Amino acid sequence: MHDADDLIEINPLDLFCSSLDTLRGTSIDQIIPPNSGWSSRPNAGSGVAGLPSTAAQTTNNLLAGISGGSGAYRTDRDEIQSMCRRGIPPSLKCAAWIINVVAAANPSMSKSDCDDFGTFRKVRVIDHGWDLTLKSLFPDESDLERAEVLDFGVGHDHLMNIMLRDHGGRPIPDKGIRSLTKVLHAARDSLGLEFCPLLPDVSCLLLSYMPVSQSFILIAMG
């Protein structure tokens, strides 16, 4: 039997992007558990939860940090909160986190505009902006090779723990270290951040579920 979402023609660019482990390169389970309440084909129209009509609207409102109403609407909102407490499926964490952070940072932004940040359509725009930022930071590939991971005040010992054991229990691969280096240098040189001890750890967490470009956007908006 086909999921109800399969019966609706959806523009691929309107689908929410799936999570991607840029830090360690490990595979992320893309299967949405059946009967979990989460949509198997989340998009800007249906939201990330596979709930009907007003419930889907409530899902997007919750993830966007927008207050719900009362009565049945409040019941739907409470159900989504309960789903989030039980855990967002790994494959949906990228889109859910992006939508939530964007909405929290932009209270006056419409729901549809917030939702767009979680779609493939917006990813193309974000990637283009990141490419320009990256070229300004590291005009030559050798510049990146010489760049060190910034500690932002967390201290050398704690930074070593982050890179060697805190994320996955073993050292972060070289490719993941390069991704972390890019994000942290962009935070310092493009955003002007200097002292933020939690940033290296938070950056690793973001990179565990999304590309470098989206990680940078969340830091910029946070």
Side-chain angles (χ1 to χ4, degrees), residues 61-66 94-106 114:
N61 285 349
L62 176 65
L63 290 175
I66 302 174
C94 176
W97 289 356
I98 289 173
I99 293 170
N100 187 42
V101 171
V102 168
N106 301 275
C114 290

Side-chain angles (χ1 to χ4, degrees), residues 50-84:
L51 302 175
S53 58
T54 57
Q57 174 77 24
T58 309
T59 302
N60 286 334
N61 285 349
L62 176 65
L63 290 175
I66 302 174
S67 298
S70 58
Y73 194 74
R74 173 66 66 179
T75 301
D76 291 337
R77 181 173 182 270
D78 291 341
E79 171 60 22
I80 301 302
Q81 287 179 328
S82 178
M83 288 168 58
C84 289

